Amino acid sequence: MSEDIKTFTISVYTENNIGLLNRISAIFQRRHINIESLTTSQSEIDGVNRFVIVVNITETNAIKIVKQIEKQVETIRAYYHTDEETIFTESCMFKIKSELLFDEPQIQNIIKESDSNIVTVNKQFFVLEKSGRRHEIESLRRDLNVFGIMQFVRSGRIAVTKDEMKITEMLSAFNNQ
Amino acid sequence: MRKSQNIEDMKTQTINNKQDVANKTERITGSEAIVKSLIAEGVDILYGYPGGAIMPVYDELYKFQDQIHHVLTRHEQGAAHAAQGYARISGKVGVAMATSGPGATNLITGIADAQIDSTPLVCITGQVFSHLLGSDAFQETDIVGISTPVTKWNCQVTKAEDIPQAIAKAFYIAKSGRPGPVLVDITKDAQVSELDFKYEKCKGVRSYYPIPKTNQKSVDAAAELINNAKKPLIVWGQGVILGQAEEELKAVIEKSGTPAAWTILGASALPTSHPLNVGMVGMHGNYAPNKLTNECDVLIAIGMRFDDRVTGSLDTYAKQAKIIHFDIDPAEIDKNVKTDVAVLGNSKESLAMLFDALNENTHESWLQEFKDLYDIEFEKVINDDINPTKEGLTMGEVLKQINIESKGNAAIVSDVGQHQMIACRYADFNVTKSNITSGGLGTMGFALPAAIGAKMAAPEREVVAIIGDGGYQMNIQELGTIFQQKAAVKIVVLNNEFLGMVRQWQQLFFDKRYASTEMTNPNFVAIAEGYYIKARKVTKRDELEDAVKEMMASKESYFLEVCVEKEDNVFPMIPSGASVSDIRLS
Ligand SMILES: Cc1ncc(C[n+]2csc(CCOP(=O)(O)OP(=O)(O)O)c2C)c(N)n1
């Protein structure tokens, strides 16, 4: 009875605590689960952090992992979602030689069609930024690679969920206790 | 040197003192605040070892020694295990203290043990000055990083004014919900600078929900399964003891007439002599409850976590049964065994709710199946263990003799190995919190220091440590603590001149290749006597009764070495990875 491995986005609301990243990543490491990406930032609530973690695992494991994360004292709440249940994006940057803009007119078309933005241009290089789905970023990278890329970097996934997260209610319930 | 008799006085002082500490604000140093915070939490005894980064705190402990008793162990691992023993017998938070670097890392084994066995501990470690953090300073170690995977919570304090809150939070987290160890690392500058001290106990942490609410619907669903069951089986664990739900468990067992078995850490929650107590489950547990796990129609797990040493192969574990799981920790539900009904919450409340929903019932013929299998186990295993006819002494007969003398009222602190399994199988328990052993981590070296902590927490109780000749030598230095504290611990070393449990596996699974398991042992009696502890060695059966009597009658600590058969094996046994129903009697 083997269960399908799927991509899950795990969202974790936490207190802003130095050691917590360690605690959370250890939960994955102990179980040999590779973290595809991990992003942490401020959430919609002041003083509350949000982790967005992407993993490829079975749903049974996703449930177990979420419970282990929630068990951590400084975790307020953790959820897991499939791709269909979230709206997600990644962003990336390309650093490319400026001369190519003029020598290779195709590049201008690629940029135009790719829905990306030029962040800065100087004599030596220009920087292109794009956000979108992985396959869009990958296709842009492939297209530009033909001409040579000086630097490329891609961020982890960030995601919001289609359903509601009742964190504010949970926290105010605590304050009113 | 303090005497343990004074502990009772100290307790009252501590309580009285707690009032004035809590109420007024005063300007004091961080180190004084640490000690006053401990006193305000009702700590009467702590275990530890001094060193550079924690010296200001020791200086305060010196000043407050009439209110809080610091026990100098001989190794920080001993301090951690002693704090565990203290916590396990009393249900209170155990406290251990150490300096930075090696002092702190020496605590780790005890912390890991407390984590897996859900023991409430607060560990306080000194740390280098905060401006030196990250500079590889003398005795700097990242103890917060190192202890993260084995603590329920930990933190580092670098400012004096954060100390009271950190300690209050530490105690709250250690003892609430599913208990566990916490570590507070305090830099030396935080210890020596001043703060306005006022102690307030922590009443809650907003991101932490220690006790999930018990759902009446799931209780009803559980009750319905139990009420309709023909062959129900309860397996309870330490969650019953931690939840102080012994009475509720007994009431549930009796009302529903359900045979009930225990995990190693659940032992003693229900008296051994109770007619529905059908023994221990697990690798070296009793024959009947292991076999019948695969025959029951409803398995009711209460405050246990389906450890692999309990379940054997999960693929063949209780597949025929409906599974009900009572636990305080949602992460335990469906972790190893898929449940049909999960009941979250504190065992005391959830079992009381269950009791109300249960029908009165009996299961005589089902219970008879347990008795029949017990008879087989008695004939094939138990009788030879406790009434041996061969020349060599057995571990089982030593336990039987201790039972006779203690009348089942002693707290048994066992180490890890064959003697541990024998102690848990054969010790009689009338009193709860009496089986103190390292369950989840299986830490050799646990028993001697844990027995010290247990005896100091409960001086009125008889505390008997049962230890193998191997594990004894892992923390043998704690004899010094026993001597200095006049802790009246009874120490029984069951000497088979082998790392017995490993040797047993070598015999059974590695064609008797006894790789590094034979021990050439020192003169244990002379060592105990070197610490001025009364000591005796028994090599023959006819000396045993008298020696155990003498030991149990002793008002002071006593060391008894019993030379037992060298190559005895512990049975029954579920070979690792096998099914509970494939339990072997030989
Ligand atoms: C710290 C530690 N190291 C190694 C082990 C592995 N181990 C489990 S039981 C055992 C043998 C214990 O021998 P002894 O203390 O003499 O007790 P016996 O089994 O003979 O009763 C060993 C080495 C362990 N559990 N803990």
Side-chain angles (χ1 to χ4, degrees):
Chain A
M1 206 184 36
S2 76
E3 213 189 318
D4 282 353
I5 290 183
K6 282 195 272 189
T7 299
F8 289 101
T9 300
I10 296 177
S11 308
V12 191
Y13 285 84
T14 71
E15 298 293 356
N16 202 340
N17 170 289
I18 305 180
L20 199 58
L21 174 60
N22 228 340
R23 247 176 216 287
I24 289 179
S25 63
I27 290 171
F28 294 89
Q29 182 220 332
R30 250 180 95 183
R31 292 167 182 79
H32 281 257
I33 296 172
N34 198 34
I35 295 180
E36 301 298 326
S37 82
L38 185 154
T39 307
T40 163
S41 73
Q42 164 74 49
S43 74
E44 62 274 21
I45 305 154
D46 277 346
V48 172
N49 264 23
R50 181 165 174 171
F51 287 70
V52 176
I53 304 165
V54 180
V55 284
N56 294 321
I57 49 178
T58 61
E59 181 159 12
T60 308
N61 275 341
I63 296 170
K64 288 184 190 178
I65 289 288
V66 162
K67 284 178 176 176
Q68 293 294 336
I69 295 173
E70 284 210 331
K71 184 168 162 172
Q72 304 308 317
V73 169
E74 266 133 358
T75 299
I76 297 166
R77 203 64 215 267
Y79 305 86
Y80 72 93
H81 291 95
T82 58
D83 287 355
E84 295 73 47
E85 295 165 331
T86 56
I87 294 158
F88 59 93
T89 184
E90 290 174 349
S91 65
C92 67
M93 290 165 92
F94 297 87
K95 178 177 163 184
I96 297 172
K97 283 201 180 97
S98 291
E99 59 196 48
L100 291 173
L101 268 184
F102 310 104
D103 298 354
E104 304 279 356
Q106 267 166 283
I107 283 206
Q108 304 215 12
N109 287 339
I110 292 171
I111 295 171
K112 251 184 236 145
E113 279 159 28
S114 69
D115 205 9
S116 55
N117 302 312
I118 293 181
V119 183
T120 184
V121 192
N122 63 29
K123 273 199 198 121
Q124 285 82 38
F125 63 84
F126 69 99
V127 175
L128 197 61
E129 175 269 338
K130 169 170 175 59
S131 53
R133 292 293 175 93
R134 173 71 62 89
H135 65 90
E136 299 168 326
I137 290 173
E138 271 308 289
S139 110
L140 179 60
R141 192 179 65 82
R142 266 195 309 270
D143 291 346
L144 292 172
N145 215 18
V146 178
F147 309 104
I149 299 168
M150 294 166 80
Q151 286 185 35
F152 169 74
V153 63
R154 190 184 64 229
S155 78
R157 173 186 292 194
I158 53 172
V160 291
T161 61
K162 294 180 183 170
D163 61 353
E164 218 182 321
M165 303 254 192
K166 297 210 156 90
I167 306 299
T168 313
E169 284 92 321
M170 285 174 63
L171 293 180
S172 53
F174 177 85
N175 291 336
N176 297 335
Q177 248 179 90
Chain B
M1 196 171 78
R2 299 188 60 81
K3 297 199 183 75
S4 49
Q5 282 91 306
N6 291 349
I7 289 166
E8 272 310 310
D9 307 345
M10 275 178 357
K11 273 187 190 144
T12 30
Q13 280 176 352
T14 309
I15 310 283
N16 292 340
N17 191 275
K18 199 161 77 186
Q19 304 308 326
D20 33 286
V21 170
N23 290 336
K24 59 175 186 270
T25 303
E26 46 185 341
R27 187 97 190 138
I28 58 175
T29 61
S31 51
E32 187 174 346
I34 293 169
V35 174
K36 286 196 162 162
S37 300
L38 295 177
I39 293 171
E41 286 293 341
V43 177
D44 49 6
I45 304 173
L46 75 161
Y47 301 87
Y49 212 99
I54 192 85
M55 278 186 68
V57 182
Y58 275 81
D59 196 43
E60 295 301 328
L61 284 167
Y62 182 81
K63 293 178 199 155
F64 287 92
Q65 58 183 289
D66 57 334
Q67 291 174 49
I68 185 164
H69 178 41
H70 177 271
V71 174
L72 173 67
T73 56
R74 295 302 183 269
H75 188 297
E76 290 87 352
Q77 186 186 353
H81 292 325
Q84 287 185 278
Y86 175 98
R88 290 274 289 270
I89 204 168
S90 67
K92 297 198 287 180
V93 178
V95 181
M97 186 174 278
T99 190
S100 65
T105 56
N106 274 347
L107 291 175
I108 289 293
T109 303
I111 295 175
D113 194 283
Q115 170 82 344
I116 200 162
D117 281 352
S118 306
T119 308
L121 283 196
V122 169
C123 298
I124 294 180
T125 50
Q127 181 56 281
V128 301
F129 284 92
S130 59
H131 70 267
L132 294 174
L133 286 170
S135 72
D136 303 325
F138 180 64
Q139 294 192 331
E140 182 196 356
T141 193
D142 176 14
I143 197 62
V144 171
I146 290 171
S147 66
T148 292
V150 292
T151 47
K152 185 173 173 187
W153 179 77
N154 61 9
C155 72
Q156 185 174 68
V157 178
T158 54
K159 290 195 206 82
E161 61 264 30
D162 295 340
I163 287 172
Q165 223 194 343
I167 293 181
K169 195 169 166 185
F171 274 86
Y172 173 74
I173 291 169
K175 72 184 168 210
S176 56
R178 180 177 183 171
V182 304
L183 181 139
V184 182
D185 190 37
I186 306 176
T187 58
K188 201 164 175 183
D189 46 325
Q191 296 172 36
V192 296
S193 46
E194 289 190 338
L195 73 154
D196 290 322
F197 177 76
K198 181 166 189 286
Y199 198 75
E200 272 176 68
K201 282 205 181 187
C202 176
K203 298 198 187 72
V205 174
R206 71 170 187 173
S207 55
Y208 167 61
Y209 328 101
I211 304 175
K213 223 174 127 46
T214 306
N215 179 329
Q216 184 68 50
K217 278 208 191 99
S218 50
V219 173
D220 292 343
E224 188 178 331
L225 281 178
I226 300 169
N227 287 336
N228 293 320
K230 298 278 168 286
K231 297 176 164 192
L233 172 62
I234 286 174
V235 178
W236 86 82
Q238 195 190 199
V240 171
I241 295 173
L242 295 170
Q244 298 174 289
E246 292 91 344
E247 282 310 311
E248 288 76 6
L249 173 73
K250 184 160 166 264
V252 160
I253 290 170
E254 289 174 354
K255 188 171 183 188
S256 60
T258 304
W262 35 278
T263 68
I264 190 168
L265 293 189
S268 82
L270 183 76
T272 311
S273 57
H274 192 284
L276 288 166
N277 184 336
V278 294
M280 178 164 79
V281 290
M283 185 173 266
H284 292 290
N286 291 103
Y287 192 52
N290 275 315
K291 273 241 164 229
L292 297 179
T293 294
N294 279 358
E295 310 250 322
C296 65
D297 57 359
V298 178
L299 182 72
I300 307 128
I302 305 171
M304 57 83 89
R305 57 187 179 82
F306 295 107
D307 180 84
D308 56 287
R309 284 292 198 265
V310 160
T311 63
S313 155
L314 284 172
D315 297 338
T316 53
Y317 182 76
K319 287 293 177 201
Q320 79 296 339
K322 294 269 185 226
I323 310 275
I324 302 171
H325 193 178
F326 285 74
D327 212 288
I328 197 166
D329 181 356
E332 290 300 341
I333 306 298
D334 295 339
K335 187 182 81 177
N336 295 336
V337 172
K338 187 103 186 74
T339 51
D340 296 284
V341 177
V343 185
L344 292 173
N346 184 328
S347 52
K348 196 171 182 69
E349 278 141 41
S350 57
L351 290 179
M353 286 162 74
L354 176 67
F355 177 83
D356 291 339
L358 287 176
N359 296 340
E360 278 191 40
N361 211 339
T362 55
H363 295 282
E364 284 312 323
S365 64
W366 170 232
L367 188 60
Q368 190 58 45
E369 292 188 39
F370 288 86
K371 290 178 183 159
D372 293 345
L373 291 179
Y374 176 83
D375 291 344
I376 295 173
E377 184 182 346
F378 186 86
E379 192 200 320
K380 296 255 170 72
V381 177
I382 300 174
N383 196 33
D384 291 334
D385 277 354
I386 64 175
N387 306 310
T389 48
K390 62 182 174 193
E391 199 189 333
L393 283 156
T394 64
M395 294 183 177
E397 67 185 307
V398 180
L399 262 295
K400 178 177 140 190
Q401 207 58 51
I402 291 169
N403 285 338
I404 293 170
E405 295 307 320
S406 74
K407 304 188 179 60
N409 293 324
I412 303 293
V413 186
S414 53
D415 210 74
V416 174
Q418 292 184 313
H419 64 280
Q420 174 190 35
M421 294 300 124
I422 295 289
C424 295
R425 285 173 53 79
Y426 294 118
D428 285 343
F429 296 112
N430 296 332
V431 187
T432 188
K433 298 194 179 80
S434 292
N435 188 41
I436 298 166
T437 194
S438 167
L441 205 66
T443 307
M444 285 172 72
F446 173 85
L448 190 64
I452 299 172
K455 182 67 191 175
M456 296 186 79
E460 73 290 352
R461 299 230 24 217
E462 185 71 78
V463 175
V464 182
I466 311 281
I467 318 182
D469 47 310
Y472 183 54
Q473 293 179 80
M474 280 213 177
N475 271 319
I476 196 167
Q477 76 286 349
E478 297 308 330
L479 290 173
T481 313
I482 291 177
F483 170 55
Q484 185 170 356
Q485 298 296 323
K486 300 202 186 318
V489 174
K490 310 295 164 63
I491 308 153
V492 179
V493 167
L494 299 176
N495 183 359
N496 53 13
E497 294 178 42
F498 270 107
L499 298 174
M501 186 57 91
V502 178
R503 187 211 54 75
Q504 173 169 345
W505 284 49
Q506 288 171 333
Q507 179 183 343
L508 298 176
F509 312 118
F510 294 87
D511 292 330
K512 281 203 175 192
R513 289 186 297 276
Y514 291 164
S516 294
T517 45
E518 200 166 356
M519 287 218 146
T520 305
N521 282 323
N523 181 339
F524 286 125
V525 166
I527 290 173
E529 284 174 347
Y531 286 96
Y532 304 98
I533 294 168
K534 244 191 294 175
R536 182 165 170 180
K537 175 174 175 170
V538 165
T539 54
K540 294 195 190 68
R541 183 157 298 128
D542 57 14
E543 307 159 343
L544 180 65
E545 184 181 338
D546 183 62
V548 172
K549 274 202 163 82
E550 182 177 297
M551 171 179 81
M552 299 297 272
S554 170
K555 295 267 172 282
E556 292 157 25
S557 56
Y558 190 104
F559 172 81
L560 176 63
E561 174 186 0
V562 183
C563 298
V564 295
E565 194 74 57
K566 288 172 78 164
E567 297 187 38
D568 269 355
N569 290 333
V570 184
F571 283 106
M573 178 175 192
I574 304 166
S576 70
S579 166
V580 282
S581 38
D582 294 336
I583 181 167
R584 289 169 55 172
L585 287 170
S586 62

